[in-house]
Amino acid sequence: MYHTLLTSLDNGILTITINRPDKLNALNSQVMQELDEALTELLNQSEVRSVIITGSGSKSFVAGADIAEFVGLDTAQGMQLAQKGQAIFARIEQSPKPIVACVNGFALGGGCELAMSCHFRIASDNAKFGQPEVNLGLIPGYGGTQRLVQLIGKGRALELLMSGEMIDAQKAWQYGLVNAVVPQEELLAKATAILQTINSKAPLAVAKCIEAANAVFDETKNGYAVEVAAFGECFDTADMKEGTSAFLEKRKPRFTGN
């Protein structure tokens, strides 16, 4: 179905693998379009409970954008490119189903931006992160200047943005950019174990957690008000009634997503 992505579904976890190993999985217009299509697919499939995004091979998650596509663009075209990329990555960030980046090597430029748009990140011990756009006379355009500051703080983010330097997986963990660092052969298993735990919880409540947490960084919303509304809406769900009943009856809950 896809030319640049591989997909597989196992026990409610959809794995999306960006598959351009000869280009270190660089993002071109086709990859971005197919990512957008895959997001629509996963949101519409009830059997998909959560998602892993990773790259093919052992060297690279996504080594950046396909720079050849930048040649000859003017201001308006550059803005259009950035707006499209931001819109696709915002769909990942706002997905009601958890999306985890398994960073299995280089996550540079657009690759780092893709990873940061996911709800959290697990890195292999050979992973490298960076926003090297200044080396091209550019800045990140797919949300990198915003999410990097949110995740690691302004000072550290500006150092990386202005220097274009890479950091390794251990420093990314120290900075709070990734949740865990594991040997590459354990990367997917680690993410799968976390997602299996999340998948055992009430799906609507998980979605509300994502919605409320995202509101922290949305200047158009009062995050506390979003939390109040989401908390109240949970009381009208069958899952809330099941969860509280199971707790009181000292049994495991059986959530249905209703």
Side-chain angles (χ1 to χ4, degrees):
M1 182 176 178
Y2 301 113
H3 295 286
T4 65
L5 306 178
L6 302 174
T7 60
S8 63
L9 180 62
D10 185 30
N11 290 324
I13 301 174
L14 176 69
T15 300
I16 299 173
T17 304
I18 298 170
N19 187 38
R20 298 184 74 212
D22 56 321
K23 301 292 185 181
L24 295 179
N25 304 321
L27 300 175
N28 62 6
S29 57
Q30 186 174 24
V31 174
M32 296 296 284
Q33 180 61 40
E34 292 189 350
L35 268 176
D36 200 30
E37 293 170 3
L39 288 169
T40 299
E41 181 181 355
L42 71 90
L43 292 173
N44 290 335
Q45 289 187 357
S46 59
E47 60 267 34
V48 175
R49 295 285 302 277
S50 56
V51 182
I52 290 171
I53 297 180
T54 193
S56 63
S58 59
K59 293 181 179 180
S60 181
F61 172 71
V62 170
D66 197 328
I67 305 304
E69 293 190 343
F70 290 3
V71 176
L73 299 185
D74 60 19
T75 295
Q77 291 168 321
M79 289 177 64
Q80 186 178 30
L81 181 67
Q83 288 167 345
K84 184 175 181 179
Q86 286 189 10
I88 294 169
F89 287 1
R91 292 190 71 198
I92 294 174
E93 185 174 61
Q94 295 162 12
S95 165
K97 300 179 182 182
I99 301 180
V100 177
C102 280
V103 181
N104 55 311
F106 291 113
L108 305 177
C112 190
E113 291 175 295
L114 171 60
M116 290 192 295
S117 72
C118 295
H119 296 128
F120 58 91
R121 291 142 293 285
I122 308 295
S124 60
D125 51 15
N126 69 321
K128 304 278 189 182
F129 297 83
Q131 298 288 168
E133 286 87 350
V134 290
N135 295 322
L136 302 172
L138 292 168
I139 71 168
Y142 296 171
T145 63
Q146 307 302 295
R147 292 192 180 98
L148 194 59
V149 171
Q150 292 168 8
L151 289 165
I152 70 172
K154 183 179 178 181
R156 285 171 170 167
L158 277 172
E159 180 183 352
L160 293 179
L161 291 166
M162 294 188 296
S163 70
E165 294 295 320
M166 291 188 295
I167 58 173
D168 62 18
Q170 195 61 36
K171 183 163 283 190
W173 179 77
Q174 292 170 354
Y175 281 4
L177 186 57
V178 301
N179 288 36
V181 178
V182 297
Q184 188 163 74
E185 61 270 18
E186 299 174 17
L187 182 61
L188 291 176
K190 176 69 173 179
T192 297
I194 295 171
L195 288 176
Q196 285 174 338
T197 297
I198 294 172
N199 286 355
S200 71
K201 312 305 179 185
L204 294 175
V206 169
K208 294 295 186 185
C209 286
I210 294 170
E211 179 186 0
N214 282 342
V216 173
F217 304 105
D218 188 338
E219 293 182 354
T220 68
K221 296 178 180 177
N222 180 319
Y224 290 98
V226 172
E227 181 182 280
V228 165
F231 180 77
E233 289 164 3
C234 286
F235 280 82
D236 282 337
T237 66
D239 278 350
M240 182 271 179
K241 295 174 177 62
E242 165 63 14
T244 52
S245 296
F247 177 82
L248 294 172
E249 295 166 10
K250 296 182 172 56
R251 60 176 176 81
K252 287 186 177 182
R254 295 180 292 274
F255 295 121
T256 61
N258 298 301

